[in-house]
Structure formats: structure tokens, C-alpha cells
Amino acid sequence: MIDVEDISAEVLNAATPQPSPILAPGDIIDISVMAKNQEVVIPFNKRLVQSEAYMRSGNTKAVEFYLVDQNGDIEFPVLGRLHVAGKSKKEVELMIQEALYPKYLSELPQVSVWIQNFTISVLGDVTRPGMFTIENERVSILDAIALAGDLSITGRRDNVLLVRVNPDGTKNIARINLNDKNLVTSPYFYLQQNDVLYVQPNKSKANSAVVVPPTTSLVFSATSILLTIANLIITAWSISK
């Protein structure tokens, strides 16, 4: 980020608040409901309900988390089907609080939502391309590049592709210049779950990676053999002469 030190402290400190993750189909989430009296919230904690049921049945593995289905719904204990896709974690927490209090609980519970499969992918001209799970749900584009072992010397810093899948299935595509000092104030500085970064190689590496078609390779091989035979014939003729 060239000349990033020129950004004023006021702008830098106020820039790019981290957005709350938006839930989407395919997300696996953990929801905990807490209260002063833990016994009254047991029916609303899937982890506790499933664990007790599996212990009684003699099994040791319980389904503790919620899968957001293709309709954007989850099955929540007692409350039933809840639509969560397109909502932030905070919105889902508030929705569950309002559904439980005061209808089912006499005190306002504390509800926490965590995404268990918050992953991002870094591909292309980096040291260790791959998919990375982010446990704290907070990752910047610089963090992602660090996880991938930094860009290769031939990776283009001025043309990193970001592909973002929205909760409704649509996609956003952005080109990011890592040399731009304004990157730290960009809405793409912090990544969202399932974001994909692709680092494009420079022209020299891209050209060196061109695959020669099999037919062309055979032609080159045949030509090389013919030239070798011709050279041997000429050499033998020269010696005999």
C-alpha cells in the first residue's frame, strides 16, 4: 500500500467498520441461549437437548449445530422453523430473544450466534493456495494473503480478483489493487464468509505456463528426430567421402 502513511489518523481510525456476517444457505451456526437460571433455557439449546437424548440412547455423537437450508431456514427447538438467511447475526439474536421473552421465559435471555464454517479461499499465484477456516469470523484481505503464505514474486499486486456470493445467491466481483493506499478504507478490506480471492500471475509467468497441444508436441518431436537422422546421414557421408 504505497503512501499509506499519508492517510490521516482520523480517517484511518474511523475507516471500514467490520460488518456483521450475513447468514446464507449452507451456513452452519451455533446458537446458545443463556439466562441466570440455566435450567429454564435448556429446551432452547440444541446442544444440551441433543446431548441428553443421545446419552439416553447410548450414542456418543450429537448434532449440536444448525444448518441453514436452501430456503434460508433453521429448525429451532420449541420455536420451530425460523428464517435466518439474509439476516445478520445480531438480527437473528434479537429475533430469538423477542420470540422467547416473555412468552416462554420470564427474563430476557442472552442469545449468541456463531458461524462454524466461516471460510475464505485464496487461489492463484500465492505460496499456499487453499481454503481457510476463520474461527473468530474476522479476517481482512491482508490476513487472508498472510494465511496463504503471501503472494509469489510473480503475483500481480495490482489486480487481485474478489468473488463474493451474496445470501440471495447473486455474486459481486471486484478488482483490488494492493498497492492502493485506500485499500484500508475499502468496503472489501474485511472479507465475508465464502469469499474467494484469486491472485493473477504476471505476463511472464502466464506465458511460461502455456500448455503445448499434444499434436504440436508430436510434430516437434518428429521434426527433431528427422533432423537428427539427417545430421547422422550427413556426418556418415562426410566420413566415407
Side-chain angles (χ1 to χ4, degrees):
M1 291 178 285
I2 299 173
D3 296 329
V4 69
E5 62 274 6
D6 293 340
I7 300 177
S8 66
E10 293 78 8
V11 173
L12 190 61
N13 292 333
T16 319
Q18 182 190 0
S20 177
I22 305 298
L23 299 182
D27 283 343
I28 298 174
I29 59 178
D30 182 21
I31 302 176
S32 65
V33 181
M34 307 289 290
K36 292 180 180 179
N37 183 357
Q38 276 300 103
E39 292 186 1
V40 300
V41 297
I42 288 178
F44 308 106
N45 283 277
K46 187 174 185 179
R47 184 190 304 273
L48 299 177
V49 173
Q50 293 288 344
S51 296
E52 289 185 358
Y54 275 77
M55 286 177 64
R56 288 196 299 268
S57 65
N59 294 319
T60 58
K61 185 177 181 180
V63 181
E64 300 176 347
F65 305 124
Y66 301 85
L67 172 65
V68 182
D69 65 22
Q70 292 304 307
N71 296 321
D73 301 333
I74 61 171
E75 284 290 342
F76 194 83
V78 182
L79 299 180
R81 186 171 292 270
L82 300 178
H83 187 75
V84 299
K87 293 181 171 60
S88 69
K89 296 196 324 173
K90 293 295 184 183
E91 290 173 330
V92 174
E93 291 168 355
L94 181 60
M95 177 180 66
I96 295 175
Q97 279 184 328
E98 294 177 343
L100 294 178
Y101 174 80
K103 183 176 181 179
Y104 295 99
L105 299 174
S106 60
E107 64 173 290
L108 186 66
Q110 179 182 348
V111 180
S112 299
V113 176
W114 289 94
I115 301 176
Q116 299 298 305
N117 61 337
F118 191 110
T119 58
I120 54 98
S121 299
V122 185
L123 308 174
D125 204 3
V126 294
T127 304
R128 295 187 301 274
M131 179 181 292
F132 305 95
T133 300
I134 311 301
E135 295 183 357
N136 63 359
E137 302 176 0
R138 184 182 188 277
V139 58
S140 71
I141 188 171
L142 300 182
D143 295 327
I145 291 173
L147 288 172
D150 203 355
L151 281 68
S152 302
I153 190 67
T154 52
R156 289 186 58 179
R157 272 71 176 164
D158 61 342
N159 194 26
V160 176
L161 177 67
L162 170 65
V163 179
R164 174 166 294 170
V165 180
N166 300 313
D168 60 0
T170 60
K171 298 179 180 65
N172 288 345
I173 296 178
R175 296 283 181 177
I176 297 172
N177 183 359
L178 299 179
N179 296 324
D180 186 359
K181 66 180 181 181
N182 294 313
L183 174 62
V184 293
T185 63
S186 165
Y188 299 108
F189 182 71
Y190 285 107
L191 302 181
Q192 298 180 8
Q193 73 268 36
N194 304 316
D195 276 359
V196 178
L197 289 176
Y198 174 74
V199 178
Q200 183 178 350
N202 61 22
K203 287 185 179 180
S204 62
K205 182 170 183 178
N207 292 336
S208 67
V210 174
V211 178
V212 178
T215 54
T216 304
S217 180
L218 289 174
V219 170
F220 286 152
S221 298
T223 302
S224 177
I225 293 173
L226 290 175
L227 289 175
T228 301
I229 294 174
N231 186 54
L232 290 174
I233 293 175
I234 293 172
T235 302
W237 181 76
S238 299
I239 294 173
S240 63
K241 189 176 178 180

